[in-house]
Amino acid sequence: MRNPLKIFKIKPEERTQSMIALLVILTLNMLFISRMHELFMQPGFGPYWKAFEHELHLSGYDPLTYLGVTNWDVVYQVYRHPLLSFMIWPLWLINEGLTWLLGVNCVQYLVAALLTFCSYYSYIFLYRIHREVIDLTQWDATLLTVYCFSFAYILMSVIVPDHFTISMFLLLITLYISGICIKKGREFKWWQSAIMFYITAGVTLSNGIKVFLSGFFVNLKDFFRPKYLLLAVILPAGLLWTTATWEYRTYVLPKEKARAERKAHRAEQQKARVALMTPEQKEQYEAKQAQRKIVLQRQAAKTGKPMENYGFLKWTDISTSRWQSTYENLFGESLQFHQDYFLEDVLVHRPVFVSYNWLTSYIIEGIIVLLFIAGIWLGRKRRFLWLCLSCAAFDMFIHLVLGFGINEIFIMAPHFMFVLPIATAFIFKKYQTMWLRIGVEVLTLYLLIYNGYLLTDFLLSPIKTVL
């Protein structure tokens, strides 16, 4: 591609629907900004970590992007998100200028601009996958794209100040380019793979595997050529790991050492204070410590039992129910919000599993899964579908087998839930029936109304300030 930026040019047939999608995305972001505006825009509020941590409750999503754009630092776990802190550095720089000029923190507006861009083009590239790769009609491609954005945690991703929306944007670009290459018999160039891996894995390390899968499904046996493996796989992977290691040693390790020293110093001070306490004070202190231990045990129970307590294995979980996680969280909360404990954090008050109040919700879930399975069967001979399924299967291995994030798997929906409408598209490709369209239209309308009502009602509700 001579001009890579050409891919972002909106085509004539996309203009009307994309403007409607953009309007919805902007509206949701404006509602979210207005909800927190009085708190986050006041001069000198803070400390920032306290404000964001205590006030910004959106399920299990972390407000690290807000924190990084307000007071830049390496705020993400470097080996899972090696480049993300550097990617938001320009926003921090702009925010510094705006804060100096206006006297207020403009973090919400700057992050909303990034989320709007990524969400808008996620919509565009998913539409193009349906339209140009799978060859659906314009109406069917639009329907299935809206169908995807009616899913609960896809809809919510457009306002979440975390990395998931950026990941979805990059993954859909990768799948779109791969789909076009497969369709036209083109090669996935080594430099394309290297750049896409470095950026995509730089946002979320596990997503880099999906770039390698794209290279394999596009190039097939040519993927294993020594030159391609060296330049498209080994070189960018080594470069990214070197970057993460340098980042850890430069920014993270000194803070960890200082934190450990402060912790040891506080422990010594506390030990000295306890020694001077009266029996009544010691009793009160021990009661508080016992209560704190109970709280920590409850949190540990929700995160499950890891395989080991070191390295990447400390993020695994071998005790949380896979079956219940699948129907309540993976194909449940990801697609339809639960009304109870709405958008509450698993590590705070929300139980790991919440049941729906209506049988209808489980029926809807079953229909969505059946459409997904039928689409897989009808598209089983399409290489592009197997690429999409392999990417989703890798996520399922991480979450359902290893148990990473299984207690809140629904917040990862932007990484893989777009595979459901892509698979369903192969039913539309095979059967051009009125009843199929009407059925999916009704399903989409229901999800938009149900999820949209709960989300907007939350955004319009007042917050309880703790500062």
Side-chain angles (χ1 to χ4, degrees):
M1 186 179 293
R2 295 180 180 178
N3 181 12
L5 295 179
K6 190 177 179 181
I7 198 173
F8 294 102
K9 184 178 180 181
I10 303 301
K11 301 172 183 180
E13 73 171 57
E14 299 168 346
R15 288 173 186 165
T16 300
Q17 62 164 308
S18 68
M19 287 301 102
I20 296 173
L22 181 59
L23 181 61
V24 173
I25 293 167
L26 286 171
T27 300
L28 289 173
N29 274 282
M30 288 301 103
L31 287 174
F32 183 59
I33 289 174
S34 65
R35 186 172 192 267
M36 316 296 293
H37 188 274
E38 290 186 10
L39 175 63
F40 291 167
M41 286 291 286
Q42 56 180 304
F45 87 94
Y48 292 113
W49 68 266
K50 183 179 178 183
F52 297 140
E53 185 71 22
H54 284 268
E55 299 293 351
L56 192 62
H57 290 294
L58 283 175
S59 193
Y61 292 110
D62 297 319
L64 296 177
T65 305
Y66 273 3
L67 186 60
V69 174
T70 299
N71 286 331
W72 189 86
D73 199 352
V74 175
V75 293
Y76 303 96
Q77 211 288 333
V78 296
Y79 286 106
R80 285 164 52 191
H81 314 287
L83 301 181
L84 199 49
S85 291
F86 299 107
M87 290 179 178
I88 65 172
W89 180 82
L91 294 181
W92 167 78
L93 201 61
I94 295 171
N95 194 37
E96 286 288 285
L98 291 175
T99 301
W100 174 81
L101 184 65
L102 303 175
V104 293
N105 186 7
C106 297
V107 60
Q108 283 189 282
Y109 292 92
L110 293 172
V111 174
L114 174 64
L115 295 176
T116 297
F117 175 85
C118 292
S119 301
Y120 175 68
Y121 275 100
S122 293
Y123 180 94
I124 293 297
F125 287 116
L126 183 57
Y127 171 80
R128 289 179 184 174
I129 287 171
H130 290 136
R131 183 81 169 112
E132 300 174 25
V133 177
I134 304 177
D135 289 323
L136 297 185
T137 65
Q138 186 175 346
W139 175 258
D140 290 345
T142 302
L143 172 59
L144 287 172
T145 305
V146 176
Y147 172 57
C148 179
F149 275 79
S150 71
F151 295 167
Y153 276 72
I154 299 295
L155 184 65
M156 199 175 79
S157 71
V158 306
I159 64 170
V160 171
D162 209 326
H163 67 276
F164 294 95
T165 309
I166 305 172
S167 289
M168 180 169 66
F169 162 68
L170 293 171
L171 290 172
L172 286 171
I173 289 181
T174 303
L175 289 177
Y176 171 67
I177 294 173
S178 301
I180 293 296
C181 288
I182 290 173
K183 183 178 179 181
K184 298 187 176 181
R186 297 175 182 171
E187 181 184 8
F188 200 33
K189 305 291 186 181
W190 71 263
W191 59 267
Q192 289 177 311
S193 179
I195 293 173
M196 289 303 300
F197 172 84
Y198 193 73
I199 296 173
T200 305
V203 173
T204 300
L205 185 64
S206 59
N207 285 338
I209 299 296
K210 299 170 186 179
V211 178
F212 292 156
L213 288 170
S214 295
F216 169 72
F217 276 94
V218 173
N219 296 348
L220 298 178
K221 63 181 181 179
D222 289 339
F223 175 83
F224 297 101
R225 288 180 302 171
K227 178 183 176 181
Y228 190 91
L229 286 176
L230 176 64
L231 298 177
V233 179
I234 298 174
L235 180 63
L239 181 61
L240 189 64
W241 190 258
T242 302
T243 303
T245 303
W246 167 82
E247 187 178 0
Y248 174 75
R249 291 175 178 174
T250 304
Y251 292 98
V252 180
L253 187 58
K255 290 187 292 185
E256 287 184 345
K257 289 181 178 179
R259 196 158 47 239
E261 290 175 1
R262 289 195 301 269
K263 184 178 179 180
H265 181 64
R266 285 196 300 267
E268 288 297 322
Q269 289 181 324
Q270 185 63 30
K271 185 178 180 181
R273 283 195 293 266
V274 171
L276 297 174
M277 287 180 181
T278 64
E280 293 78 10
Q281 289 174 328
K282 283 186 179 181
E283 185 177 349
Q284 292 176 356
Y285 172 75
E286 290 172 357
K288 288 182 180 179
Q289 290 298 103
Q291 184 62 35
R292 184 173 181 272
K293 185 177 180 180
I294 292 172
V295 172
L296 292 175
Q297 287 175 342
R298 287 174 180 173
Q299 289 185 345
K302 289 183 178 181
T303 56
K305 181 182 177 182
M307 294 178 180
E308 298 289 346
N309 285 310
Y310 61 85
F312 286 100
L313 292 179
K314 67 183 178 182
W315 292 315
T316 59
D317 180 344
I318 58 175
S319 59
T320 300
S321 169
R322 269 51 177 173
W323 170 241
Q324 203 168 359
S325 295
T326 299
Y327 72 81
E328 289 291 6
N329 290 340
L330 175 60
F331 292 115
E333 178 77 1
S334 297
L335 305 178
Q336 303 173 86
F337 291 122
H338 288 85
Q339 295 179 37
D340 297 333
Y341 300 96
F342 184 71
L343 296 189
E344 291 193 20
D345 194 337
V346 169
L347 297 181
V348 184
H349 297 299
R350 186 188 192 275
V352 175
F353 304 118
V354 180
S355 299
Y356 287 107
N357 297 329
W358 306 331
L359 177 62
T360 304
S361 299
Y362 292 104
I363 295 173
I364 293 295
E365 178 182 338
I367 292 171
I368 293 172
V369 173
L370 286 174
L371 287 171
F372 175 52
I373 294 172
I376 292 174
W377 176 253
L378 293 174
R380 64 190 183 279
K381 296 182 180 180
R382 294 288 294 267
R383 198 189 337 161
F384 176 72
L385 178 59
W386 284 109
L387 164 59
C388 296
L389 293 175
S390 68
C391 292
F394 177 72
D395 283 315
M396 294 306 101
F397 172 76
I398 292 175
H399 300 308
L400 294 182
V401 178
L402 297 182
F404 171 74
I406 190 173
N407 59 331
E408 50 183 9
I409 190 173
F410 41 84
I411 72 171
M412 285 78 163
H415 284 166
F416 50 78
M417 272 302 166
F418 48 77
V419 175
L420 269 66
I422 289 175
T424 304
F426 288 95
I427 307 177
F428 283 76
K429 181 68 177 175
K430 180 72 173 181
Y431 300 109
Q432 295 290 322
T433 64
M434 178 184 68
W435 292 112
L436 175 62
R437 284 196 188 92
I438 291 174
V440 177
E441 286 169 1
V442 171
L443 184 59
T444 302
L445 185 61
Y446 170 82
L447 291 172
L448 283 173
I449 294 173
Y450 176 81
N451 291 324
Y453 171 77
L454 290 174
L455 182 57
T456 53
D457 181 64
F458 168 82
L459 294 177
L460 291 170
S461 64
I463 62 171
K464 182 180 180 181
T465 305
V466 298
L467 298 182

